[in-house]
Structure formats: C-alpha cells, structure tokens
Amino acid sequence: MCGISGIMYMNGGRNGVANVGSDLVKMLDALAHRGRDSTGFTVVGEQLDEDLIVRLWTEDAEAAKDVLERVEEAIGRAGGVVVTTRSWGGFFRLTVNYEGEVSRLAETLMTIDDVVIHSIGEASEVVKDVGVASDMDRDHHIGLMRGTHGIGHVRMATESKVDITHSHPFWAYPFTDVTVVHNGQLTNYHKLKRHYQSMGHRFLTGNDSELIAVYLADKLAEGDSLESVLTQSLDDLDGTFTYLVSTKTGMGVAKDRWAAKPLVTMQTDDVVAVASEEIALRSVFTDEELDRVEPQENEVLTWSV
C-alpha cells in the first residue's frame, strides 16, 4: 500500500529554514498503518558551509570504523576533502569539499565493499531505515533536521525485499539533489531500465521507484523544467502511480491516468503539504481549517522555494 508525504515552506521558513524533519516525522507516523516495513526522509535546504552532504550505509556495522576509514580514503582519491564525519550503527554522514564531477565521486565510493550510497547532495540528504517514523526519530534524530522542504515515505513491501537499501526515498544516482517517493507500480520498468542502462546509467536497486528518480534527473539535467518533466512522465511511465519528487529548489507530484493511488494537498501563502491521507496533514496543522484538494488523473503540481 505505502504512504507518501511532503512539505515545503515556500518563503524559506524562519531564518531561512524550518522544522521540516519534525513535520515529516509527525506526518509519517500518522501514515504508519499504510506500511511498517521501512520509513525514509529527504530533507532539503540545510544551510551548509561545505560543497556536499554524503549519506552512506554499511550492513557490517561492527566494522564501521574500518569502513569509515576506507570511505575517507576513497573521497581523498577522488579529489575531495572530508570536513566532518558522523557515524552511528552502520550509518555515515559526511560533509565534503569537492570540485569535481559528482559521478566520479560516486563511482569511487561504489568501489568500496559493503558500502551503499543513500544520497549525495548539495542541499539535501536521505535518511532511511527499517521500522516506523518514531523509531527513526529516536535512532537518527530526524526531528532535529531543519530545511526548506522535504519528502517522506512509509513502505509496505510488495515487489522487492524488505531492507534498508530498497526503502524510499530513492536518490537519482549520480545526480545531486533529486529524490523520489512513490506509491504504485510501473509496468514498463524493465524496458525503461534497459534503456537508461544502455545510456550508461547505473541502478543501485531493483526497485521501480529508483527508475522514476533517474528518469526525472536525466531530463532535468538536459534543462527541462520540473513541471515539464513531470508532465512528460505521464506519457512515458506506464502503470498505477502517484509519486513525489524533491529537488534542490522544488517539489512536485504526478498522478497517473487512473488516479488510483490517493493524495491530498493543502496550501497557504507560506506552506504547502501533501500526503496520501488527510490525517497526515492534520498531524502538523492541528489548529487550522484545512482547504484540502485531491489531485485528479493525469495531474501534475509543482512548487518552488
């Protein structure tokens, strides 16, 4: 079934950032009945002094210290400089100064055994794990993450295995700051995946939602607008889907021609929020009269900070 949510403070929130992490935890906890296998977040817009935020994970948590040393060495080989590091369990968050192609950095990190890249971003980072949002907040301190916007997902696994790697959001390797959460299933996934592999793209999982992220990022890199790319996807993607994408400066949603996967939105002058169910919106906007809207079939909506 799965559930998705997103929130954007269009004027940047107080002092340029807002409590996006805390908002998403509330929204995803309210949607936990839609999926308890895993939960994930993208938070965008943290004020960062370094060039990149790198989020990694290793299944071999007991060897985390050794893995981190190999990660730092690999970043150095690629021409980067690690400025800060934080690790807990098998998770790593590094800030890096790096002037080269992100694809080269990503390829270098991919050579390290037992390391999975969750995201590389100039302004965004992905955090995902098994369990529900409140568990993740306890383990990863999501509620302390601030930014301008973010997206989230609760997963009921149907097509691929239950693990951290196949959890949403999916980062569009190797593009910065494009991530997707998705409720649905693509019927032309394998055809499109072969097409993008023939173009040289690499996929990190067997989840069809990752394909959406790569599809969007590839077209955005060609200079198309977010609204145009989402509109094109309605013809190019087959299946039943509602997906939400986050970029460095924007957020957007697209619903397929059948509109079978639910979504509600609300918007004021300062904030827009979207979720699979209204209960998620009311978990954040508890004292407000919601002017809720349900996007219809073949509909695209976009917002920017």
Side-chain angles (χ1 to χ4, degrees), residues 36-267:
R36 305 181 69 88
D37 290 329
S38 62
T39 307
F41 305 79
T42 297
V43 176
V44 190
E46 176 187 352
Q47 296 174 345
L48 187 70
D49 293 327
E50 296 77 34
D51 295 326
L52 298 171
I53 307 170
V54 180
R55 283 277 191 170
L56 308 168
W57 174 73
T58 179
E59 189 173 10
D60 189 4
E62 294 183 357
K65 183 177 179 181
D66 174 66
V67 171
L68 181 57
E69 290 177 354
R70 287 186 281 138
V71 166
E72 292 175 333
E73 290 172 359
I75 291 173
R77 290 198 306 273
V81 177
V82 176
V83 180
T84 67
T85 63
R86 186 160 57 91
S87 65
W88 62 105
F91 295 87
F92 307 101
R93 182 188 189 273
L94 301 90
T95 59
V96 177
N97 283 329
Y98 179 73
E99 297 182 357
E101 294 291 331
V102 172
S103 57
R104 178 169 181 243
L105 177 62
E107 289 291 338
T108 303
L109 290 171
M110 287 287 291
T111 65
I112 306 172
D113 292 338
D114 303 320
V115 168
V116 177
I117 306 173
H118 283 174
S119 66
I120 299 176
E122 298 175 6
S124 66
E125 53 189 307
V126 170
V127 192
K128 53 187 180 179
D129 204 346
V130 295
V132 298
S134 54
D135 294 335
M136 282 199 63
D137 190 24
R138 180 195 65 222
D139 296 338
H140 300 271
H141 308 295
I142 305 297
L144 300 179
M145 298 177 68
R146 293 171 59 79
T148 54
H149 59 293
I151 59 177
H153 186 272
V154 295
R155 182 173 185 237
M156 178 184 291
T158 55
E159 297 299 321
S160 53
K161 60 185 178 180
V162 178
D163 66 359
I164 295 172
T165 300
H166 286 81
S167 306
H168 300 224
F170 284 95
W171 167 57
Y173 178 101
F175 305 91
T176 58
D177 300 311
V178 179
T179 61
V180 164
V181 293
H182 170 220
N183 180 19
Q185 181 181 9
L186 299 186
T187 55
N188 62 341
Y189 161 67
H190 294 289
K191 178 182 178 180
L192 286 175
K193 183 176 181 179
R194 288 192 297 269
H195 168 71
Y196 281 100
Q197 286 175 325
S198 72
M199 294 170 60
H201 289 290
R202 176 184 291 193
F203 291 83
L204 307 183
T205 74
N207 193 300
D208 58 353
S209 306
E210 184 186 9
L211 183 280
I212 301 174
V214 172
Y215 167 93
L216 298 175
D218 182 71
K219 289 188 176 298
L220 288 169
E222 295 176 356
D224 289 356
S225 69
L226 182 59
E227 182 177 7
S228 172
V229 170
L230 266 61
T231 300
Q232 293 174 59
S233 78
L234 298 177
D235 291 325
D236 292 341
L237 304 179
D238 288 336
T240 302
F241 59 83
T242 295
Y243 70 79
L244 184 60
V245 59
S246 172
T247 70
K248 187 175 181 178
T249 59
M251 186 173 73
V253 64
K255 294 190 73 171
D256 67 76
R257 69 193 70 179
W258 293 284
K261 299 298 181 179
L263 194 77
V264 293
T265 71
M266 62 80 63
Q267 184 169 345

